[in-house]
Amino acid sequence: MAKKSKKSAGKKDKDKKKQKDKARKGSSSSTSSFTEALQVTDGFVLADVDPRSTPHFSGDKQAGKDALAAADDELDALQEKLYAESRAGGRKRVLLVVQGMDTSGKGGIMRHVVGAVDPQGLELTAFKVPTAEEKKHPFLWRIRKALPGPGMIGVFDRSHYEDVLVVRVHDLVPPGQWKRRYATINSFEEKLAADGVTVIKVMLHISPQEQKERLAERLDRPDKHWKFNPGDLDERAHWEDYQEAYQVLLERCSTGHAPWFVVPADRKWYARLAVQQLLLEHLRGLDLAWPEADFDVAEQQERLADL
Ligand code: ATP
């Protein structure tokens, strides 16, 4: 009997160890953060990223949705702190740039991630085909006008990177002109960083199969027809050219002061969680502090008590 219980105790220990190993393996691989797991560094190859993968997260869809909901409050609180710092003269602000092929889920990021932040602390801009007025100016003109003020989180739904994406794929300007833009963008973003802007650039990476399914759904469902744009099919025909254009900009414009992050986006729940966590990790890294009161707190408390 004693022998048997000894055996089962040993088995229990083994089971526990197995569980721990399993948890360790599942627990987000070797990376210590979403920032580390998703950042584009030297030698990066876009085609090697599996759009269905879930780097730095081992849970399933429900766990991902729960994690997203659980972090909403922290995101909102950090934004408030960012804003509070600016009221005391701080210059810090955040710029989240979101790029991706059509149907990659940019809208979902705006609704489910950015939507958790107090709208008063947000400046959201969607960049469309430049207007006649915008076309009269250098490509960064409309971008500069949309930059977030101190204490704000600016979000770009598409951005100046369209000027080396759609413009490159369709030769909308002579090649000599768009080729110079990578360097122009890098020096622009370097200045932003020096001026207190934390630039987070996210590419939502979907597979062509997933895009086909999402486009088919838009056609199948009358409540989604409004989202379907026949022009998206014309763009889809240029899939490879776009992937090449993305590869080049990721290589050339992922810098120390403004890195790119490639977020696998075939699973919408993962992409939303990853972008939220990237924002959170960067906000935490800003070491924000509540400004000190510029009045005597005790004195004001006394006055209030008497009123
Ligand atoms: P959704 O994904 O929700 O359909 P969207 O971002 O595709 O929204 P649209 O108005 O359908 O919004 O598309 C915007 C279009 O503007 C895209 O085709 C994009 O390539 C184009 N665009 C954005 N910036 C530029 C630019 N600088 N030059 C040329 N075209 C641009």
Side-chain angles (χ1 to χ4, degrees):
M1 192 63 198
K3 213 176 168 189
K4 197 178 170 194
S5 71
K6 218 177 171 183
K7 246 189 187 172
S8 59
K11 189 172 177 298
K12 263 188 201 163
D13 283 350
K14 264 192 190 164
D15 286 349
K16 264 193 186 169
K17 190 177 173 303
K18 258 192 199 167
Q19 265 178 1
K20 267 193 184 169
D21 286 349
K22 215 172 151 188
R24 212 176 297 134
K25 264 190 210 153
S27 77
S28 326
S29 68
S30 55
T31 49
S32 63
S33 61
F34 282 87
T35 298
E36 188 193 332
L38 301 172
Q39 186 160 343
V40 171
T41 50
D42 282 352
F44 175 87
V45 178
L46 180 60
D48 290 348
V49 179
D50 176 2
R52 283 194 72 74
S53 62
T54 62
H56 200 66
F57 191 75
S58 58
D60 60 8
K61 180 175 180 175
Q62 192 53 50
K65 287 185 165 189
D66 292 346
L68 182 80
D72 272 355
D73 286 351
E74 189 190 353
L75 187 58
D76 194 39
L78 282 169
Q79 188 285 319
E80 193 183 345
K81 225 173 185 178
L82 181 69
Y83 184 72
E85 260 203 15
S86 77
R87 296 301 300 264
R91 299 279 303 154
K92 289 176 197 163
R93 45 245 160 94
V94 171
L95 175 62
L96 174 69
V97 170
V98 185
Q99 284 286 162
M101 299 292 285
D102 290 319
T103 75
S104 59
K106 297 188 297 296
I109 298 295
M110 303 307 147
R111 279 191 302 281
H112 297 278
V113 179
V114 174
V117 175
D118 181 345
Q120 293 189 79
L122 266 186
E123 289 175 10
L124 177 73
T125 313
F127 290 98
K128 310 284 183 186
V129 176
T131 61
E133 169 69 9
E134 287 168 347
K135 277 185 188 152
K136 287 189 209 150
H137 298 274
F139 76 104
L140 289 177
W141 182 75
R142 63 177 185 165
I143 304 296
R144 290 183 204 278
K145 285 209 306 177
L147 289 172
M152 306 297 281
I153 297 181
V155 183
F156 285 178
D157 176 348
R158 301 186 188 269
S159 65
H160 41 303
Y161 283 95
E162 290 294 325
D163 292 282
V164 285
L165 281 165
V166 64
V167 170
R168 172 185 167 126
V169 168
H170 293 289
D171 276 329
L172 300 182
V173 301
Q177 201 173 329
W178 59 252
K179 281 182 185 164
R180 283 196 297 275
R181 290 181 173 170
Y182 300 99
T184 307
I185 289 174
N186 285 345
S187 93
F188 167 65
E189 291 178 350
E190 193 174 355
K191 287 189 192 109
L192 290 185
D195 193 25
V197 185
T198 298
V199 186
I200 310 166
K201 300 179 296 194
V202 166
M203 180 216 175
L204 300 176
H205 179 46
I206 54 165
S207 63
Q209 298 79 9
E210 181 66 23
Q211 188 193 55
K212 194 166 194 174
E213 277 175 34
R214 292 183 188 179
L215 288 171
E217 194 192 359
R218 287 182 183 183
L219 284 170
D220 287 345
R221 289 179 44 179
D223 63 325
K224 297 233 173 177
H225 285 171
W226 68 274
K227 277 191 174 184
F228 185 82
N229 171 3
D232 290 352
L233 297 188
D234 301 326
E235 289 308 273
R236 182 175 162 77
H238 295 280
W239 187 273
E240 286 311 321
D241 298 334
Y242 273 105
Q243 297 303 298
E244 192 190 328
Y246 268 111
Q247 172 68 37
V248 174
L249 74 82
L250 293 168
E251 264 169 38
R252 298 200 52 186
C253 300
S254 190
T255 55
H257 49 262
W260 268 103
F261 299 92
V262 170
V263 172
D266 272 11
R267 300 174 199 262
K268 288 180 183 170
W269 62 265
Y270 172 77
R272 292 169 188 169
L273 176 67
V275 175
Q276 179 203 51
Q277 294 296 317
L278 284 172
L279 256 178
L280 273 175
E281 287 172 6
H282 282 79
L283 281 164
R284 288 185 200 125
L286 290 179
D287 287 327
L288 300 167
W290 295 111
E292 281 189 26
D294 56 3
F295 49 83
D296 184 330
V297 178
E299 190 183 303
Q300 297 302 317
Q301 282 169 331
E302 265 177 41
R303 276 186 63 207
L304 178 65
D306 292 344
L307 287 173

